[in-house]
């Protein structure tokens, strides 16, 4: 259940950014979670809801955007959407593919006041 | 005067926040693991400066990490100084075993946490009086999921599986196998009694990480252990 630790990392990151920008409140935080990032998005969201209490994020709107996995087949060059790291190419059934998207796990932006 | 904050502006917008504390959008695009990665980079630099070979041992519970370490310590000491950081949710049992085998050890209890992070390792290093030229084993919490994401600053990551587990472990836990450099396949003395297919396990793991190295060994019988010691000595 590393999603809990990751949620705490978000709170610490938000706290640092709030201080750096001399902001009193963070009104909104926007986070991207890639489908191939190794983070279970629902568990992460639940953990985040728990840990923001009593933090700089307690009033924030939390926007979590999932980013679909993208791969390029090494055999036939087809680019296709990947749901798991081990997905085979839908055209030629080759494996593995070069992952070109969906590994994101980042804070995109915050809105401060 | 604004009723909300007492400043001289009138709050004619009926919305305090709009009149003199404008909202500001700050683009960050920063990894959520950036702080851990920063601390891991500090650890890595410190290991390099002090000429310490640091290895992060990861596996599921019961694969035999601690037994491998005990036998490694017995074989390599006194020619090589060895230090160990032990990660478990509870108890000092593993650190006691390591100390009995002859290496100084620090136990980190992660409580409800399921992995070690770079900060815990940095703090443990303050307490371990490591010496130049030594090997530092960081035995992570037994878990093939969570420790994969957390760089500790180690030189290399070693994943341990045992033949009593399924050979499909690499497919089920791809992140760990993707991020490791060496895979030890332990308990080879039990191969005649189980259905574990070594070649299949290796091919599954290589499909995820083509550069992964493998050593098949048994900490109990000693088979293959010399290959592991040779690998260690090749790392510097």
């Amino acid at each position: 259940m590393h999603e809990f630790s990751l949620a705490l990392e978000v709170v610490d990151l938000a706290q640092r950014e709030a201080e750096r920008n001399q902001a009193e409140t963070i009104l909104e935080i926007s986070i991207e979670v890639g489908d191939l990032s190794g983070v279970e998005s629902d568990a992460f969201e639940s953990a985040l809801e728990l840990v923001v209490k009593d933090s700089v994020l307690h009033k924030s709107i939390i926007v979590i955007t999932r980013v679909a996995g993208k791969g390029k087949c090494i055999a036939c060059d087809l680019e296709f959407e990947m749901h798991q790291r081990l997905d085979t190419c839908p055209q030629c059934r080759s494996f593995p593919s070069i992952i070109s998207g969906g590994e994101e796990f980042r804070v995109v932006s915050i809105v401060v006041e | 005067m604004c009723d909300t904050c007492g400043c001289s502006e009138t709050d004619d917008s009926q919305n305090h926040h709009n009149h003199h504390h404008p909202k500001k959008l700050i683009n960050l695009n920063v990894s959520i693991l950036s702080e851990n990665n920063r601390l891991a980079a500090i650890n890595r630099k410190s290991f390099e400066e002090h000429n310490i070979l640091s290895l992060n041992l990861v596996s599921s519970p019961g694969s035999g990490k601690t037994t491998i370490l005990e036998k490694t310590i017995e074989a390599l000491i006194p020619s090589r100084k060895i230090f160990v950081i032990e990660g478990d949710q509870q108890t000092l049992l593993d650190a006691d075993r390591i100390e009995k085998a002859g290496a100084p050890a620090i136990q980190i209890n992660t409580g409800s946490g399921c992995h070690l992070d770079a900060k815990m390792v940095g703090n443990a290093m303050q307490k371990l009086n490591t010496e130049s030229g030594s090997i530092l084993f960081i035995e992570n919490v037994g878990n093939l999921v969570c420790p994969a994401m957390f760089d500790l600053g180690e030189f290399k990551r070693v994943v341990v599986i045992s033949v009593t587990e399924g050979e499909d472990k690499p497919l089920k836990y791809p992140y760990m196998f993707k991020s490791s450099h060496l895979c030890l396949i332990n308990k080879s003395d039990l191969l005649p009694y189980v259905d574990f297919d070594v070649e299949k396990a290796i091919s599954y793991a290589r499909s995820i990480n083509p550069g992964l190295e493998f050593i098949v060994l048994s900490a109990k019988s000693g088979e293959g252990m010399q290959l592991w010691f040779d690998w260690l000595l090749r790392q510097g």
Side-chain angles (χ1 to χ4, degrees):
Chain A
M1 189 44 196
H2 57 304
E3 281 76 12
F4 198 79
S5 310
L6 297 171
L8 288 169
E9 294 285 334
V10 172
V11 169
D12 289 346
L13 195 157
Q15 180 70 44
R16 284 195 302 276
E17 290 301 330
E19 283 167 16
R20 185 177 306 168
N21 291 284
Q22 295 172 332
E24 288 169 23
T25 320
I26 296 183
L27 299 175
E28 189 175 317
I29 182 162
S30 174
I31 297 169
E32 275 182 355
V33 181
D35 282 349
L36 307 178
S37 66
V39 179
E40 172 47 52
S41 185
D42 292 340
F44 172 66
E45 195 167 348
S46 302
L48 203 49
E49 282 169 15
L50 282 176
V51 301
V52 295
K53 287 173 190 160
D54 303 323
S55 82
V56 70
L57 291 172
H58 75 287
K59 282 186 189 164
S60 301
I61 299 166
I62 297 170
V63 181
I64 296 179
T65 309
R66 289 180 65 166
V67 183
K70 261 193 344 200
K72 187 176 182 187
C73 176
I74 52 169
C76 73
D77 279 349
L78 179 76
E79 288 194 61
F80 63 100
E81 189 167 310
M82 294 180 83
H83 304 287
Q84 292 181 35
R85 218 161 243 282
L86 303 174
D87 284 352
T88 50
C89 171
Q91 186 164 275
C92 72
R93 300 282 154 210
S94 291
F95 174 83
S97 298
I98 297 163
I99 292 169
S100 56
E103 292 186 302
E104 299 82 353
F105 183 53
R106 62 186 175 201
V107 174
V108 179
S109 61
I110 51 175
V111 177
V112 298
E113 184 173 56
Chain B
M1 186 177 82
C2 169
D3 291 337
T4 307
C5 67
C7 73
S8 57
E9 291 182 42
T10 51
D11 191 8
D12 48 10
S13 67
Q14 299 297 309
N15 181 353
H16 165 74
H17 287 146
N18 286 344
H19 78 154
H20 73 133
H21 295 304
K23 290 181 187 177
K24 187 170 138 199
L25 173 75
I26 301 167
N27 287 313
L28 295 173
N29 283 322
V30 59
S31 164
I32 287 167
L33 287 163
S34 58
E35 181 62 8
N36 185 74
N37 293 342
R38 187 182 72 83
L39 296 172
I42 293 172
N43 290 347
R44 186 166 283 116
K45 188 156 177 261
S46 169
F47 295 144
E48 283 168 10
E49 281 173 2
H50 295 94
N51 191 25
I52 293 167
L53 170 61
S54 55
L55 300 166
N56 180 4
L57 266 69
V58 293
S59 80
S60 41
S63 64
K65 288 193 299 298
T66 314
T67 308
I68 291 172
L69 281 186
E70 285 174 315
K71 303 286 181 173
T72 305
I73 291 161
E74 285 164 15
L76 297 190
I77 283 181
S79 65
R80 196 75 186 260
K81 283 277 182 192
I82 296 179
F83 296 85
V84 179
I85 295 173
E86 279 288 341
D88 278 304
Q89 286 198 318
Q90 306 280 333
T91 81
L92 306 176
L93 295 172
D94 279 3
D96 289 346
R97 283 174 61 185
I98 295 298
E99 296 246 346
K100 267 194 196 121
I106 291 258
Q107 180 85 49
I108 300 174
N109 282 144
T110 56
S112 59
C114 48
H115 58 268
L116 295 177
D117 64 31
K119 188 177 185 181
M120 294 175 196
V121 169
N123 289 343
M125 285 302 290
Q126 305 282 331
K127 296 177 197 154
L128 267 181
N129 291 313
T130 48
E131 294 171 31
S132 176
S134 59
I135 302 176
L136 172 72
F137 289 110
I138 306 166
E139 187 181 338
N140 219 313
V141 179
N143 176 346
L144 278 177
V145 184
C146 311
M149 290 188 77
F150 290 82
D151 182 9
L152 305 179
E154 73 268 22
F155 176 59
K156 284 191 176 170
R157 188 173 287 188
V158 180
V159 60
V160 183
I161 55 173
S162 60
V163 304
T164 52
E165 304 167 44
E167 67 242 341
D168 51 6
K169 274 274 163 77
L171 299 182
K172 289 178 173 169
Y173 302 97
Y175 294 93
M176 194 58 96
F177 287 84
K178 175 86 182 159
S179 63
S180 293
H181 301 88
L182 172 69
C183 175
L184 299 180
I185 302 179
N186 190 25
K187 306 189 189 177
S188 64
D189 53 306
L190 296 178
L191 274 172
Y193 313 107
V194 294
D195 293 331
F196 189 93
D197 184 332
V198 173
E199 289 310 312
K200 219 181 226 179
I202 290 177
S203 94
Y204 286 152
R206 285 229 165 104
S207 70
I208 292 154
N209 180 357
L212 191 61
E213 294 182 79
F214 295 87
I215 297 172
V216 181
L217 53 74
S218 165
K220 192 178 170 77
S221 74
E223 181 193 6
M225 288 295 280
Q226 190 59 49
L227 294 171
W228 159 237
F229 302 150
D230 293 344
W231 184 90
L232 282 173
L233 299 177
R234 276 203 305 277
Q235 306 308 310

